[in-house]
Amino acid sequence: MPFTLTDEQDAIISAPIGHYVISAVAGSGKTTTLAHRIRYLLNTGVSGKRILILMFNRSAREDFQKKLSYVLSQTKEQTHHGVTPEVRTFHAMAYRLYKRFIQEGYLPPFHSQILSEKEQDFQLWRLLNQLLSGEQLQDLKRYKKDHIEISRRFIETVKSGLLSPQLVYEGLDLEPKFNYLVELFDRFESWRKQEARISYSDMLYDTVLAIQKFPQLQSLVANKMDILLVDEYQDTNDIQHALLKYIAGDRAKISVVGDPDQTIYEFRGAKPDYIIKGFSEEFSDASLLSLSYSFRYGHAVSLLANHLISRNNSRLPVLCKSHHSNPNTEIYLHRSNDDASKISKHLLTLDNTILIETTILARVWSQTVSIELALLEAEIPYHIEGHLGVFHSSEIQAIRALLELSAGFFSTFPAKTRQDKFEQICQFPHIGLPEYQLKQLCQVLSYNDQYFGEQLLQTIPSDIKQFQQRKLQKLAKVFAKIENKQAPSADILKHYAEETELYEGIRSLSFNHEQAEERIRSISSIMTFVSKQGKHPVDVLKLLDKLAKKAEYQHLESVKITSIHRAKGLEWQHVLVPGLSKKTFPHTLNPEKLTVPEIESERRLLYVAMTRAKQSLHLFCPSDTSSQANKLSRFEKELNFEQCAAFAEHAYSKPDDTFHIKQQRGATQILRKYADLINCQLEEPEKIDKARLKNEPKQDLSHIIWKDKLVEHCLLGVGRVVEDKSTSFTVEFDKNDRRTFSKEFAGRFFSLF
């Protein structure tokens, strides 16, 4: 953070009271700016009691309160008389109003336990079984995940907006088989009110509906404030916006701050359109101010981020610029088909002072399984925020139980321990029995200390469904096959997965697709780790026990692992982002059906991840892209990595010299604009006259090592060399377009990228 405020910051701090839209890029010092703005307002006579600051989440609120306390402590005037403005989250504000409405008799009391997503899914499943019949019921049983997922999203969509369930349904392009959604919503709400339960969404939803239903409540809410400041406005949804307007009434002036490029909560109904144009349309006298300089990172990250996010259409025409006081941020593009191994090897080269300032940002939690195991094996300390970790997962518990069975350990366990182990296995995948029946079955099995396959065959209840009997019969055969089996652990687990149809079982019994694929990816990572060991189950179990003990001693002074969504508003010295592959970025269960809004949303997520870094940013992408599983992310090419890195290095080392563009295609529009902003001259190559290509002399490229090089064809664009032969090489362009070229004539058409 600079010692002096910029002109942009000063303009916001001292702006006259009014409505404002403040566009703030990542790392722009908006927290400091807002804190100084509040001090200015207090010192000009605005009462602290009449200023309300609404933050996105609890951590943002706590961070801002600390910053505000510090800034106010530095003022000499002390005109605020010790009364500081209230800082709340939207949910906390709504929760307070909810309890007030209960006291006034407008809302009924509710159960103190907040309704979890898991509970909601279970109730939706129960209600759907009551509601549907015939073909719809059969389809429900066949595609449970689809129905539960769409039902939950429908309810959340209704509650994040202000439209009726019927209008929401009419606005969605859904198959006719989902025509039950409106009635399901009504039944779910009836159940919720009968049980006196609320979710986090209901804190806002019930509160706003109560104000709409009882106009007299507006007098309890509106016109109590003179100033409203709203942070992270790009993640505001309809229901939050409505509450904001009710609180403001006719009196309060509103300033909203945010960055549409950092909108990452669309699944919660967030609408970047509010900050792009919606607020200005609603408050026609609103002024637009900006914080366009980042104090967090250098030119390299700014250029990467600008190149990436410029591909989005739903955004303000903002160019993020690094402040001249910032040192350059080092950027690295690591190519490997094993991100976890690459990450652990990189971290091993760092001393502890750097490790404690390093964070690994995952797109999905399943990515962290292999990373955790690699760090534990390399004895690199770490801690996870927002997740329990691999050794708390049901997947690894079940895998350990299977290996213990194979190693002959079950005969040494007490009966209760055997029962617990059998329950873990029987839910991996779940055999479909009700919980009480499953416990009874596992209890009977636990009375024996060997020959569990035979015992299970004799124990299978006769009154269960045929598919359940078949599952148990398969499981019994597997038990008989692997019990005391002298074979590599990988073979045992592979046999179990194949015979029990593990992955299909998980998919069929999960409430939603994402949950299923996350579990499968986690299992696959654990099995891959076990396979690499190539050891007998006894040895693998010893290793897992050793790693599990290490995992227990997580401490804050170590490498951090968290998700990109949880990184919002935070920063670290060193940031590692794994998974720049087609299957992870953009993350989707159906890559071939990605919509433009989905792609833009994923692009924003990567933008947020990259802009958390201060000193260094490390991106990890596949090296061998020949297999479908290792296809490069479409975003990797959009970064224009090599050119950004070269320009940033030049700008810091030789700021007064001209930067020469080596690529035939010249500079991008983003690079030209950025160079102008920092007064750096560019020299671009002359455009190719394609008609003269045939007559140009051949270029001697014998010195070039073709393998693993990016090259640029004058007509086809950028591609990657995937095969190198003595006289020819093969290049892969977009969309699996592979072409083979003669090395003899390559100089006429190719340049190194």
Side-chain angles (χ1 to χ4, degrees), residues 120 123-132 140 147-148 150-155 165 178-191:
Q120 291 181 67
Q123 289 302 325
L124 290 172
W125 171 246
R126 185 180 66 83
L127 291 170
L128 282 169
N129 275 280
Q130 296 174 2
L131 178 62
L132 304 182
L140 170 67
H147 287 272
I148 297 294
I150 287 175
S151 297
R152 178 162 35 82
R153 287 184 178 179
F154 177 78
I155 290 173
F178 297 111
N179 60 7
Y180 56 76
L181 285 171
V182 174
E183 186 175 352
L184 176 66
F185 179 90
D186 293 337
R187 291 198 182 194
F188 181 81
E189 288 298 279
S190 296
W191 168 84

Side-chain angles (χ1 to χ4, degrees), residues 304 307-308 580 610 619 635-641 644:
L304 286 182
H307 276 94
L308 177 73
L580 258 68
M610 294 193 305
L619 305 174
F635 300 149
E636 188 260 358
K637 182 180 176 182
E638 295 174 5
L639 295 174
N640 194 25
F641 189 93
C644 292

Side-chain angles (χ1 to χ4, degrees), residues 597-652:
E598 288 172 336
I599 294 171
E600 292 199 352
S601 178
E602 290 291 307
R603 199 176 272 121
R604 286 192 290 267
L605 263 175
L606 182 55
Y607 175 89
V608 167
M610 294 193 305
T611 53
R612 302 309 95 192
K614 298 180 71 174
Q615 291 188 28
S616 71
L617 171 66
H618 299 258
L619 305 174
F620 296 80
C621 66
S623 56
D624 179 9
T625 60
S626 56
S627 69
Q628 194 62 33
N630 290 325
K631 292 297 180 185
L632 276 171
S633 166
R634 65 195 302 159
F635 300 149
E636 188 260 358
K637 182 180 176 182
E638 295 174 5
L639 295 174
N640 194 25
F641 189 93
E642 284 79 7
Q643 198 173 75
C644 292
F647 178 85
E649 183 180 356
H650 174 89
Y652 282 97

Side-chain angles (χ1 to χ4, degrees), residues 74-75 101 127 152 197 241 247 291 309 336 397 407 421 423 464 486 488 497 515 539 541 555 585 622 648 680 747:
Q74 304 302 302
T75 185
F101 294 171
L127 291 170
R152 178 162 35 82
R197 300 296 301 277
H241 185 71
I247 294 171
L291 295 170
I309 206 64
S336 171
Q397 290 171 359
K421 299 287 183 181
E423 287 180 19
I464 62 176
Q486 298 296 316
Q515 182 190 82
D539 299 318
L541 286 166
H555 49 89
F585 265 117
C680 182

Side-chain angles (χ1 to χ4, degrees), residues 467-531:
F467 83 91
Q468 294 168 331
Q469 290 185 11
R470 286 195 299 270
K471 284 186 177 208
L472 288 171
Q473 288 166 359
K474 285 184 177 181
L475 190 59
K477 290 179 181 178
V478 173
F479 282 176
K481 180 81 172 177
I482 71 173
E483 187 178 352
N484 298 313
K485 179 76 171 179
Q486 298 296 316
S489 300
D491 294 348
I492 292 167
L493 296 178
K494 183 181 179 184
H495 175 75
Y496 179 85
E498 290 174 350
E499 291 299 315
T500 61
E501 298 175 334
L502 174 61
Y503 297 143
E504 286 306 310
I506 288 171
R507 288 191 178 100
S508 65
L509 290 165
S510 298
F511 278 119
N512 59 71
H513 287 291
E514 190 160 343
Q515 182 190 82
E517 296 309 314
E518 274 282 90
R519 285 198 69 192
I520 289 170
R521 191 167 179 174
S522 297
I523 294 164
S524 179
S525 295
I526 297 170
M527 288 188 172
T528 299
F529 176 80
V530 171
S531 299

Side-chain angles (χ1 to χ4, degrees), residues 149-362:
E149 191 169 353
I150 287 175
S151 297
R152 178 162 35 82
R153 287 184 178 179
F154 177 78
I155 290 173
E156 287 299 314
T157 301
V158 173
K159 292 185 176 183
S160 66
L162 294 171
L163 298 176
S164 69
Q166 184 63 43
L167 287 174
V168 172
Y169 176 76
E170 291 173 1
L172 298 173
D173 186 20
L174 294 173
E175 297 176 59
K177 67 180 180 180
F178 297 111
N179 60 7
Y180 56 76
L181 285 171
V182 174
E183 186 175 352
L184 176 66
F185 179 90
D186 293 337
R187 291 198 182 194
F188 181 81
E189 288 298 279
S190 296
W191 168 84
R192 185 173 69 82
K193 291 172 183 177
Q194 184 179 345
E195 298 295 322
R197 300 296 301 277
I198 65 168
S199 66
Y200 286 106
S201 298
D202 296 318
M203 292 178 186
L204 286 155
Y205 182 69
D206 289 354
T207 299
V208 170
L209 287 190
I211 298 172
Q212 289 182 334
K213 185 177 180 181
F214 306 107
Q216 58 268 38
L217 288 177
Q218 293 187 30
S219 62
L220 295 176
V221 177
N223 300 317
K224 302 293 190 296
M225 298 294 160
D226 291 331
I227 304 291
L228 290 176
L229 295 178
V230 186
D231 193 24
E232 303 289 356
Y233 190 68
Q234 75 278 355
D235 285 318
T236 301
N237 56 34
D238 289 336
I239 207 80
Q240 291 170 322
H241 185 71
L243 182 62
L244 176 66
K245 287 174 60 182
Y246 282 131
I247 294 171
D250 300 322
R251 178 173 182 154
K253 299 297 183 181
I254 308 171
S255 294
V256 298
V257 188
D259 180 7
D261 293 335
Q262 296 186 70
T263 305
I264 60 174
Y265 286 98
E266 294 97 324
F267 61 92
R268 295 181 183 172
K271 293 185 175 180
D273 190 61
Y274 272 135
I275 193 170
I276 294 173
K277 60 179 182 179
F279 188 89
S280 298
E281 290 176 349
E282 190 162 355
F283 300 94
S284 57
D285 59 339
S287 300
L288 178 62
L289 300 172
S290 64
L291 295 170
S292 61
Y293 286 95
S294 176
F295 302 100
R296 181 179 296 158
Y297 41 79
H299 295 321
V301 170
S302 284
L303 283 166
L304 286 182
N306 282 318
H307 276 94
L308 177 73
I309 206 64
S310 65
R311 301 287 185 124
N312 279 8
N313 295 317
S314 304
R315 62 186 302 268
L316 293 170
V318 175
L319 190 70
C320 172
K321 305 175 287 289
S322 291
H323 194 265
H324 62 81
S325 63
N326 298 1
N328 196 28
T329 305
E330 297 178 351
I331 58 173
Y332 302 90
L333 191 62
H334 303 275
R335 301 191 184 277
S336 171
N337 288 339
D338 185 353
D339 284 356
S341 177
K342 193 78 171 179
I343 287 171
S344 67
K345 288 177 181 177
H346 167 68
L347 295 178
L348 282 171
T349 66
L350 309 178
D351 60 44
N352 194 55
T353 57
I354 296 177
L355 286 177
I356 63 177
E357 296 178 335
T358 298
T359 295
I360 302 168
L361 296 180

Side-chain angles (χ1 to χ4, degrees), residues 30-31 34-36 38-39 42 47-72 83-94 96 225 227-232 247:
K30 65 182 175 79
T31 302
L34 291 180
H36 280 273
I38 291 168
R39 186 179 74 170
L42 292 172
S47 170
K49 293 181 179 180
R50 291 195 171 274
I51 300 176
L52 174 64
I53 303 102
L54 291 172
M55 310 299 290
F56 178 72
N57 55 30
R58 187 182 301 173
S59 62
R61 183 203 71 199
E62 292 171 352
D63 181 57
F64 185 77
Q65 283 179 321
K66 290 178 183 176
K67 179 67 69 174
L68 181 60
S69 296
Y70 174 77
V71 170
L72 292 181
V83 179
T84 58
E86 193 173 14
V87 186
R88 287 187 171 269
T89 65
F90 269 104
H91 283 91
M93 189 68 208
R96 186 171 75 169
M225 298 294 160
I227 304 291
L228 290 176
L229 295 178
V230 186
D231 193 24
E232 303 289 356
I247 294 171

